[in-house]
Amino acid sequence: MDIPRMGIPDHLAEQMSMAEQHDYLRRRFSRGYSRRGILRASAATTGALTAVGVLGSPAFAAAPDLVTRSATDGIDGSLVAPVGRHLAFGADPSTQFRISWQVPAAVKKPFLRFGRHPHELGQRIPAELRDLHTPALTATSAALDQYYLHVALDHLQPGTTYYYGVGHTGFDPADPAHAATLSTFTTAPAPRRGEGSSAHDAFTFTAFGDQGVSAHALANDNVILAQQPAFHLHAGDICYADPDGQGLESDSADYAATTWDSFLAQTETVASKIPWMVAYGNHDMEAWYSPTGYGGEEARFSLPENGPTKDSGVYSFRYGNVGVISLDANDVSYEIPANNGITSGKQTTWLERRLREFRQDAEVDFIVVFFHHCAFSTTHQHASEGGVRDAWVPLFEQYRVDLVINGHNHVYERTDAILGGKASKAAPSGASIRPAEDGVVYVTAGAAGRSLYSFDYADTYEGNEHRVDELVTYHWEKGSVKVAETIDWSRVRYTGYSFLRVDVVPARKGATAKLKLTALTESGTAFDHLTIEREAGSTRGW
């Protein structure tokens, strides 16, 4: 029976884009909000902004979800503690950092202090407030105001550890009483142009997708912190405030904005020290906030703004000898098409340009791409996304991307090297692969904390080998249609909570540069290893 959950029958909601759903929700729920002072125009600003609701991005300024209200009304700042600190790189990790946090109520003059020593925090920078209002979207939910604060730090010194603290009137992190709230971040080493990739330092990064809020999510965070990564990649489906994730108007019936509060508090132990670089998944499309559904994420995160658009989590950065690219797979998804085509091809054009630029850079040995929907997976629940295969896999193969990291399926699965949709070289655990000759390796690392999915075939991993040469699975085609296929590329399958660790080893004395992949359980036990090798500084073998 087609019962409207939020005023639109489901059979109509399924045909609506995210922008159309946003427009509907705005027209239905914005009545009576004019007195709230909705921000309609951008403000010309220079440098950091004070927390009075003024936003430095035209995209934010035009979004009616960002509501200006007083940040000075009756709040005793000594009773309000900052929470949910999380870091991100700017476009240049060696000189640019973004520090973000949350306060449970509007406070006076929020700011950040930082310096090279914990007792030398003389530099005080006003923070930008991104104030997010969520109405009572259902009869049982309450309206909610959330306050997110951001500071952009540029012109930092490469390879340097900084101490920082965040505060506001009544709460100064430089006060000895709040010394325990201080944290640190470390900028990337300086790019070593002309010196060859062998001059770069070794480092580690970690990755997963589909975390949410749970004991398993917290366990993964604790083990990740122990790896001391230079950064972490979160491949979409961040907190699951929208538990349905179908990109439908009816998703709003179960939407809980407070889940973001719990998520940021849970993640703070790691993200307050390690840049937490996110891509957007299907559960991150929240129709109320903006036509793309990403307005909520844009209020909560500050990411590099060097992609084709400013509100889709599409960006790139270089750390040492690794170029990293974040993509928005909702733009090409056949399975969940609410945002299909939102960039009108601009993202794919930008992707090809960035792949070419990275491959032409003799200082970049490896290219790592991460996004949500899986190009190659065999789970019973989502399997493979044909939209990604059609739009991006040919580019990954043309430029011989070294590693593709996905979420979406709540399992760990690693492929053999793939070319043309087939296994081009076997990659059992412990093997070495050279993408320039062998093909592209894909890792699904979606077991970060949400309920686990299943395979139709037995798990197979180190110490538990159950190799099946051919598996019957499916992929999604246009129209959200499942198409059966028989595949040969599924090498490692594991259904426990887990994440991916990648150790980057630059070339030494003419040797090859290496990415050493290790899959770890939530308790820190390794169950898969693979080494990806590339001749240092070589642009051959695309």
Side-chain angles (χ1 to χ4, degrees):
M1 184 176 179
D2 193 19
I3 300 175
R5 296 176 68 188
M6 292 291 293
I8 301 178
D10 283 346
H11 77 276
L12 295 179
E14 291 174 359
Q15 302 174 39
M16 296 175 70
S17 69
M18 186 59 55
E20 290 168 335
Q21 296 169 45
H22 169 74
D23 180 67
Y24 167 79
L25 290 172
R26 282 290 165 182
R27 285 188 283 107
R28 177 171 179 179
F29 291 100
S30 291
R31 291 193 295 270
Y33 289 157
S34 60
R35 67 182 183 273
R36 305 184 74 90
I38 292 175
L39 185 62
R40 297 292 186 184
S42 67
T45 59
T46 302
L49 302 177
T50 56
V52 293
V54 179
L55 302 170
S57 164
F60 286 120
D65 51 285
L66 297 166
V67 183
T68 302
R69 56 179 60 80
S70 173
T72 62
D73 291 344
I75 299 297
D76 181 353
S78 66
L79 303 178
V80 179
V83 294
R85 295 166 299 169
H86 50 288
L87 306 177
F89 293 132
D92 180 359
S94 67
T95 63
Q96 297 176 322
F97 257 74
R98 307 296 181 245
I99 294 88
S100 305
W101 68 99
Q102 184 177 10
V103 287
V107 296
K108 298 178 181 179
K109 299 181 179 179
F111 62 88
L112 174 139
R113 289 187 182 274
F114 81 106
R116 296 191 183 187
H117 302 283
H119 303 297
E120 297 178 9
L121 302 176
Q123 298 191 67
R124 175 169 167 159
I125 299 177
E128 171 194 355
L129 170 67
R130 300 178 189 170
D131 180 16
L132 201 61
H133 175 74
T134 307
L137 293 172
T138 70
T140 58
S141 65
L144 178 69
D145 292 305
Q146 293 168 302
Y147 304 89
Y148 301 100
L149 299 159
H150 305 266
V151 169
L153 296 179
D154 298 317
H155 311 296
L156 299 170
Q157 292 298 309
T160 301
T161 296
Y162 291 90
Y163 290 81
Y164 77 94
V166 296
H168 47 263
T169 299
F171 188 103
D172 192 335
D175 187 321
H178 301 310
T181 68
L182 298 181
S183 189
T184 63
F185 64 86
T186 302
T187 54
R192 303 183 183 183
R193 299 290 181 186
E195 297 181 30
S197 63
S198 62
H200 293 299
D201 298 322
F203 65 93
T204 296
F205 69 89
T206 52
F208 61 39
D210 305 80
Q211 186 175 28
V213 181
S214 71
H216 297 291
L218 183 59
N220 263 334
D221 283 354
N222 291 336
V223 180
I224 285 171
L225 184 60
Q227 313 307 307
Q228 298 183 311
F231 55 88
H232 178 74
L233 305 179
H234 191 151
D237 282 6
I238 302 169
C239 86
Y240 288 81
D242 171 11
D244 291 332
Q246 295 302 303
L248 301 179
E249 179 273 335
S250 56
D251 288 2
S252 300
D254 298 317
Y255 181 72
T258 54
T259 304
W260 280 105
D261 303 340
S262 300
F263 174 82
L264 292 174
Q266 168 191 271
T267 309
E268 183 176 20
T269 302
V270 186
S272 62
K273 304 176 181 66
I274 296 162
W276 198 267
M277 309 302 294
V278 300
Y280 298 158
N282 55 296
H283 285 274
D284 304 317
M285 296 186 290
E286 302 168 345
W288 164 257
Y289 299 113
S290 69
T292 63
Y294 303 140
E297 282 80 14
E298 292 303 302
R300 299 176 178 103
F301 294 91
S302 286
L303 300 170
E305 295 186 350
N306 59 358
T309 63
K310 300 300 184 185
D311 67 342
S312 60
V314 181
Y315 57 88
S316 67
F317 64 89
R318 173 191 159 189
Y319 193 105
N321 63 336
V322 178
V324 179
I325 297 175
S326 170
L327 298 175
D328 174 21
N330 293 314
D331 183 23
V332 299
S333 175
Y334 294 155
E335 179 195 3
I336 303 172
N339 266 346
N340 183 277
I342 57 170
T343 70
S344 300
K346 293 179 181 178
Q347 179 177 200
T348 300
T349 299
W350 174 86
L351 169 63
E352 180 167 16
R353 183 172 67 251
R354 287 307 288 135
L355 290 173
R356 182 173 62 251
E357 290 169 348
F358 276 144
R359 273 291 169 250
Q360 291 174 342
D361 188 341
E363 301 301 314
V364 173
D365 293 326
F366 299 105
I367 299 176
V368 174
V369 181
F370 76 108
F371 53 91
H372 189 59
H373 300 65
C374 299
F376 297 97
S377 184
T378 63
T379 65
H380 185 81
Q381 286 76 7
H382 291 302
S384 302
E385 174 57 71
V388 170
R389 290 186 184 182
D390 288 349
W392 297 341
V393 166
L395 294 176
F396 299 157
E397 294 186 0
Q398 178 183 350
Y399 292 95
R400 288 297 197 270
V401 167
D402 298 283
L403 176 63
V404 176
I405 299 171
N406 300 133
H408 200 41
N409 287 299
H410 301 180
V411 293
Y412 177 90
E413 186 170 16
R414 179 177 61 74
T415 71
D416 289 325
I418 294 176
L419 288 175
K422 297 183 179 297
S424 51
K425 182 176 180 179
S429 189
S432 294
I433 291 293
R434 289 178 173 260
E437 296 87 24
D438 300 330
V440 183
V441 172
Y442 297 79
V443 173
T444 298
R450 291 291 286 187
S451 57
L452 295 170
Y453 287 176
S454 61
F455 296 106
D456 291 330
Y457 294 82
D459 282 13
T460 177
Y461 53 89
E462 285 184 4
N464 187 58
E465 299 285 349
H466 297 284
R467 174 66 182 165
V468 178
D469 291 333
E470 290 188 339
L471 290 72
V472 177
T473 180
Y474 67 92
H475 66 273
W476 294 93
E477 287 289 354
K478 292 180 180 179
S480 301
V481 175
K482 292 182 180 180
V483 177
E485 62 180 358
T486 300
I487 62 93
D488 62 354
W489 38 254
S490 180
R491 176 58 61 169
V492 178
R493 297 181 298 277
Y494 179 76
T495 53
Y497 292 100
S498 58
F499 66 93
L500 183 67
R501 169 182 170 135
V502 181
D503 296 306
V504 183
V505 182
R508 301 298 184 195
K509 296 181 179 179
T512 57
K514 297 178 181 180
L515 294 181
K516 294 184 176 181
L517 280 57
T518 304
L520 296 170
T521 70
E522 62 178 329
S523 61
T525 302
F527 62 89
D528 183 31
H529 294 86
L530 182 73
T531 299
I532 297 173
E533 299 182 342
R534 184 173 286 275
E535 183 180 347
S538 174
T539 60
R540 295 176 297 162
W542 290 5

